[in-house]
């Protein structure tokens, strides 16, 4: 089910119940199009996420951790100015549309009470979060995405403009359906026995129905019974939801207010917000990383492509140098039989004393003397021999570059948005990303600190540290860890450095640390992943090696299957 008007209806009721009369305590904008507002209600803090992300627009209470930018955005500062300390009076929905209004009671400059609206429009790439002064003729204070007349002639979303609601469609609200509306549904139900056709036609006259919702409704109406009763019963489920993570016949995940699909894999949650946290956690995270790390991904992919092409050319050159011995042999044969060669000959057949004196044809230059022809083959031999040394050195460097960028792309794929800062710093240090050369930026670069690794705790109370990128890995393994601690890494698979803060950990702790190493690696979705472990003193970095690259010896190997629930368990142990 999409976050359509009907799901918005259910979420509005849930947020009203949870947040009404709560006070705004914090406002942050951790990502470009997403605002998180901490609201204190019923002696508890609720982080309210308002997302205008084009792919994952939604509103919910979230428990997914986030990091704030060091400098707040202008929109954040505007929200703090107008809404900090205000009371959330209620949450309302515009008809059954994907528009939610948060009604805040605050005070103006002279202390009088006034109502401010924070309007969230959940409309894919047109999604937005807009702050409006209700008492000043719906004047827009600001929007997370400013829309000028060049982008939308019908309505602009700029500071000072009057807020205009999105164009209203000629459809009826299913939660306020009249008898004539129900009659229209009855006609469609009798006219279209096919579920898809019925769903499509219902969608054209009923407001706020996504494709999935209309299909569920069409299927529901095809049951035995009165259409009006079935219609009202269907939409009553949005007033008393059973939040469900659905799995269809192809085991594809979806979220819904009710288990409209009967599947033993379905998972139910206590709230719609918890459901969305589960559904969107990894999806939204990947999207945020892709959005914020776009430049890094572009650089890594370009460098990877360049080095793979270089490797092909080097390999071709190396294949050509295999003729080096052939040149040497021909040169020696010519030197031995110089007396048989006459100037002006273009080729000659001579016995090859390296191959049972079988005749071998040797091409000659008719412009050179017999001796010069022999020397020509020796020069070719020496050139090819020197090329082998050079090409092998270049191949080694090129393979290291390929390994490095494959590793970086794996890290970005598994990264949180906060981890991207270290990767950006690393690219600048390695010369793949230009540094900002103004004096202020230089000072800022010098002060740039490497973020800390994530901390987990084993069931036996032993701390386990996990690096999330090359700079973290190097610092964790080569600087912070005690030489007697245990170091872990997936065997021949890109992944995190993991440190057990114990000189002699028990088997269970080693097993759990190995599961973390496997989970935070390229083999996250694999079974029976080999993980090497050894004392830190046996791990070292080769001279001139790329960030994150180490070699080790004397290791043992554990085989584990990484599971998300086990990682969450170890993360919870640390709290």
């Amino acid at each position: 089910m999409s976050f359509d008007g009907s799901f918005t209806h259910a979420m509005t009721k849930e947020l009203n119940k949870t947040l009404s009369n709560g006070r705004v305590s914090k406002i942050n904008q951790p990502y470009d199009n997403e605002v998180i507002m901490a609201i204190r209600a019923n002696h508890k803090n609720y982080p309210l996420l308002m997302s205008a992300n084009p792919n994952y627009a939604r509103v919910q209470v979230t428990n997914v951790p986030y990091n704030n930018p060091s400098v707040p955005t202008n929109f954040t500062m505007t929200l703090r100015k107008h809404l900090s300390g205000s009371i959330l009076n209620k949450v309302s929905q515009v008809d059954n549309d994907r528009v939610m209004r948060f009604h805040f009671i605050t005070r103006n400059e002279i202390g009088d009470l006034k109502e401010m609206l924070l309007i969230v429009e959940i409309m894919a790439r047109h999604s937005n979060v807009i702050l409006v002064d209700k008492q000043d003729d719906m004047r827009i204070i600001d929007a997370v995405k400013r829309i000028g007349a060049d982008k939308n002639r019908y309505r602009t979303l700029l500071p000072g403009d009057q807020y205009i609601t999105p164009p209203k469609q000629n459809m009826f609200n299913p939660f306020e359906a009249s008898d004539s509306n129900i009659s229209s549904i009855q006609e469609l139900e009798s006219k279209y026995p096919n579920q898809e056709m019925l769903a499509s036609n219902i969608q054209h006259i009923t407001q706020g129905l996504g494709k999935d919702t209309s299909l569920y409704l069409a299927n529901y109406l095809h049951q035995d019974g009165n259409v009006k009763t079935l219609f009202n019963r269907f939409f009553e489920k949005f007033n008393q939801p059973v939040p469900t993570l659905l799995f269809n016949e192809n085991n594809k995940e979806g979220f819904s207010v009710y288990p409209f699909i009967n599947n033993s894999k379905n998972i139910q949650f206590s709230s719609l917000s918890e459901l969305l946290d589960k559904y969107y956690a990894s999806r939204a995270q990947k999207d945020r990383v892709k959005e914020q790390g776009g430049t890094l991904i572009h650089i890594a992919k370009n460098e990877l492509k360049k080095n793979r092409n270089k490797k092909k050319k080097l390999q071709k050159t190396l294949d050509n140098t295999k003729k080096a011995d052939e040149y040497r042999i021909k040169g020696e044969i010519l030197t031995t039989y110089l007396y048989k060669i006459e100037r002006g000959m273009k080729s000659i057949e001579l016995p090859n004393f390296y191959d049972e004196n079988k005749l071998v044809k040797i091409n000659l230059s008719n412009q050179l003397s017999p001796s010069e022809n022999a020397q020509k083959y020796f020069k070719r031999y020496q050139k090819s021999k020197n090329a082998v040394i050079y090409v092998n050195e270049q191949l080694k460097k090129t393979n290291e570059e390929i390994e490095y960028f494959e590793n970086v792309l794996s890290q970005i794929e598994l990264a949180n948005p906060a981890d991207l800062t270290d990767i950006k710093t690393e690219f600048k240090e390695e010369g793949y990303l230009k540094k900002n050369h103004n004096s202020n930026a230089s000072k800022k670069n010098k002060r740039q600190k490497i973020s800390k690794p994530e901390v987990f705790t084993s069931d036996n109370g032993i701390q386990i540290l996990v690096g999330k990128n090359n700079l973290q890995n190097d610092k964790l393994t080569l600087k912070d860890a005690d030489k007697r601690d245990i170091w872990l890494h997936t065997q021949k698979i890109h992944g995190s450095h993991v440190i057990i803060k114990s000189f002699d950990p028990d088997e269970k702790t080693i097993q759990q640390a190995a599961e973390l190493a496997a989970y935070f690696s390229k083999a996250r979705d694999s079974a029976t992943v080999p993980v090497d472990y050894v004392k830190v003193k046996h791990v070292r970095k080769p001279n001139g090696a790329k960030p994150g690259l180490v070699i080790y010896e004397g290791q043992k190997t554990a085989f584990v299957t990484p599971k998300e629930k086990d990682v969450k368990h170890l993360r919870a142990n640390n709290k």
Side-chain angles (χ1 to χ4, degrees):
M1 178 176 285
S2 57
F3 207 117
D4 60 7
S6 300
F7 194 93
T8 304
H9 173 93
M11 181 58 79
T12 301
K13 293 183 75 70
E14 177 174 295
L15 294 180
N16 261 316
K17 184 179 178 181
T18 307
L19 303 178
S20 285
N21 298 315
R23 184 180 295 275
V24 177
S25 58
K26 291 180 183 178
I27 302 172
N28 294 299
Q29 191 179 345
Y31 311 109
D32 286 347
N33 300 318
E34 297 179 315
V35 173
I36 292 185
M37 183 179 290
I39 297 180
R40 180 81 176 170
N42 302 314
H43 310 290
K44 187 177 177 182
N45 289 319
Y46 294 94
L48 176 66
L49 169 66
M50 303 175 184
S51 175
N53 183 297
N55 297 316
Y56 304 112
R58 65 197 187 280
V59 179
Q60 64 167 110
V61 171
T62 182
N63 289 310
V64 175
Y66 61 92
N67 290 312
N68 291 320
S70 54
V71 180
T73 64
N74 290 335
F75 186 63
T76 303
M77 296 302 291
T78 301
L79 292 180
R80 288 176 181 175
K81 176 184 175 182
H82 291 277
L83 298 181
S84 287
S86 63
I87 302 296
L88 178 59
N89 185 35
K90 65 176 180 177
V91 185
S92 64
Q93 180 187 16
V94 178
D95 295 321
N96 195 43
D97 208 349
R98 295 164 294 167
V99 179
M100 296 175 74
R101 293 184 174 186
F102 291 81
H103 302 251
F104 292 96
I105 304 300
T106 185
R107 292 185 182 275
N108 60 19
E109 291 83 356
I110 59 174
D112 293 335
L113 290 175
K114 64 181 294 187
E115 185 175 2
M116 301 289 290
L117 297 179
L118 194 58
I119 302 171
V120 186
E121 298 177 354
I122 308 162
M123 299 176 178
R125 63 191 180 90
H126 300 295
S127 299
N128 216 330
V129 182
I130 308 146
L131 180 64
V132 173
D133 188 337
K134 185 180 179 183
Q135 288 168 240
D136 189 10
D137 200 25
M138 295 294 283
R139 180 175 60 87
I140 295 173
I141 306 298
D142 206 351
V144 76
K145 297 179 190 174
R146 293 183 178 182
I147 308 297
D150 56 326
K151 294 181 180 177
N152 192 325
R153 291 185 179 181
Y154 172 75
R155 62 175 194 149
T156 55
L157 297 173
L158 297 172
D161 289 350
Q162 185 181 31
Y163 175 77
I164 301 172
T165 56
K168 192 171 182 179
Q169 296 171 311
N170 188 25
M171 299 179 178
F172 74 90
N173 184 341
F175 295 97
E176 299 173 0
S178 64
D179 288 342
S180 63
N181 298 145
I182 298 295
S183 296
S184 300
I185 297 295
Q186 285 173 328
E187 287 177 20
L188 293 175
E189 193 275 334
S190 60
K191 186 176 180 180
Y192 299 105
N194 178 274
Q195 182 183 346
E196 284 76 13
M197 289 296 296
L198 177 58
S200 176
N201 281 275
I202 288 176
Q203 205 175 359
H204 289 149
I205 65 169
T206 312
Q207 188 180 29
L209 297 193
K211 184 177 179 181
D212 287 349
T213 308
S214 59
L215 283 168
Y216 297 148
L217 174 58
N219 185 56
Y220 204 80
L221 293 176
H222 278 152
Q223 297 179 83
D224 292 334
N226 180 271
V227 170
K228 181 178 181 179
T229 303
L230 291 171
F231 184 89
N232 290 333
R233 193 183 296 163
F234 178 85
F235 283 100
E236 185 55 36
K237 297 184 187 302
F238 290 83
N239 292 322
Q240 297 175 337
V242 181
T244 307
L245 189 67
L246 293 177
F247 291 86
N248 64 17
E249 60 274 9
N250 298 319
N251 283 325
K252 187 178 178 181
E253 273 186 355
F255 61 88
S256 176
V257 297
Y258 186 81
F260 293 114
I261 297 174
N262 187 18
N263 190 320
S264 59
K265 289 187 176 181
N266 288 350
I267 305 171
Q268 293 185 359
F269 294 82
S270 59
S271 71
L272 295 171
S273 289
E274 282 185 26
L275 167 65
L276 294 184
D277 261 355
K278 174 66 178 174
Y279 181 79
Y280 281 118
S282 61
R283 291 172 173 83
Q285 197 79 305
K286 284 181 181 178
D287 192 74
R288 289 163 181 163
V289 168
K290 197 177 289 185
E291 184 180 309
Q292 295 186 16
T295 302
L296 304 178
I297 293 169
H298 179 71
I299 290 170
K301 285 185 174 179
N302 273 359
E303 290 292 330
L304 202 53
K305 183 180 178 181
K306 183 173 75 177
N307 280 286
R308 282 173 176 163
N309 288 336
K310 184 179 178 182
K311 182 179 178 179
K312 286 180 183 177
K313 290 177 183 177
L314 288 169
Q315 195 64 54
K316 189 175 180 181
T317 304
L318 192 62
D319 291 340
N320 291 334
T321 62
K322 290 177 182 177
K323 295 180 179 179
D325 276 342
E326 185 182 325
Y327 295 142
R328 177 182 59 80
I329 290 168
K330 286 181 177 179
E332 289 179 2
I333 293 171
L334 288 175
T335 303
T336 303
Y337 296 103
L338 280 176
Y339 64 91
K340 288 189 175 185
I341 307 168
E342 296 177 8
R343 193 181 188 103
M345 294 177 69
K346 291 186 177 180
S347 66
I348 190 171
E349 286 191 347
L350 295 170
N352 182 357
F353 39 75
Y354 285 105
D355 189 17
E356 299 176 348
N357 286 325
K358 291 178 182 177
L359 291 178
V360 59
K361 184 178 179 181
I362 303 175
N363 292 323
L364 302 170
S365 171
N366 58 4
Q367 302 298 316
L368 301 176
S369 68
S371 179
E372 286 172 335
N373 267 301
Q375 288 305 311
K376 179 182 173 184
Y377 276 99
F378 284 126
K379 285 178 183 177
R380 282 186 181 178
Y381 163 67
Q382 195 59 47
K383 186 178 179 182
S384 294
K385 187 179 175 183
N386 293 339
V388 169
I389 297 169
Y390 173 78
V391 170
N392 278 326
E393 286 175 355
Q394 290 298 308
L395 262 176
K396 183 183 176 184
K397 290 179 182 177
T398 304
N399 283 327
E400 286 173 356
E401 290 282 304
I402 290 170
E403 180 81 6
Y404 171 70
F405 285 108
E406 284 179 344
N407 186 33
V408 169
L409 284 173
S410 296
Q411 289 173 356
I412 293 174
E413 190 178 330
L414 299 172
N416 292 322
D419 300 327
L420 297 176
T421 304
D422 288 342
I423 298 174
K424 188 175 182 180
T425 301
E426 179 185 336
F427 272 17
K428 285 180 179 177
E429 290 177 355
E430 293 297 309
Y432 299 114
L433 193 61
K434 288 184 180 179
K435 293 183 180 179
N436 199 336
H437 290 293
N438 67 61
S439 57
N440 291 332
S442 297
K443 290 177 184 175
K444 193 172 180 182
N445 285 331
K446 288 179 183 175
R447 292 196 301 267
Q448 182 68 51
K449 289 185 178 180
I450 299 169
S451 57
K452 294 181 179 179
E454 187 170 359
V455 183
F456 298 84
T457 302
S458 74
D459 287 342
N460 290 325
I462 297 173
Q463 205 173 65
I464 303 170
L465 306 179
V466 180
K468 298 294 185 64
N469 54 63
N470 288 328
L471 295 186
Q472 271 188 29
N473 287 337
D474 276 355
K475 187 172 184 294
L476 174 61
T477 301
L478 306 171
K479 293 183 179 180
D480 297 344
D482 190 291
K483 296 295 182 185
R484 295 164 291 178
D485 288 340
I486 302 298
W487 178 89
L488 303 93
H489 193 282
T490 43
Q491 188 182 93
K492 297 179 181 177
I493 301 169
H494 300 308
S496 296
H497 290 204
V498 176
I499 296 290
I500 302 174
K501 296 300 291 179
S502 171
F503 304 157
D504 186 24
D506 57 277
E507 285 299 321
K508 185 172 184 180
T509 296
I510 291 174
Q511 187 77 6
Q512 290 180 325
E515 288 172 5
L516 288 172
Y519 185 80
F520 291 103
S521 79
K522 189 78 173 173
R524 174 177 287 190
D525 299 319
S526 304
T528 319
V529 180
V531 178
D532 290 338
Y533 63 98
V534 68
K535 285 192 179 293
V536 173
K537 66 182 179 181
H538 296 302
V539 181
R540 63 186 178 85
K541 192 173 190 69
N543 291 333
K546 289 282 189 185
L549 177 66
V550 294
I551 55 176
Y552 53 94
E553 57 191 6
Q555 72 276 12
K556 295 180 181 178
T557 305
F559 293 88
V560 296
T561 299
K563 295 176 183 174
E564 186 180 3
K565 63 181 178 112
D566 294 336
V567 175
K568 286 183 177 178
H569 170 69
L570 296 174
R571 188 178 277 132
N573 282 352
N574 192 56
K575 292 180 180 178

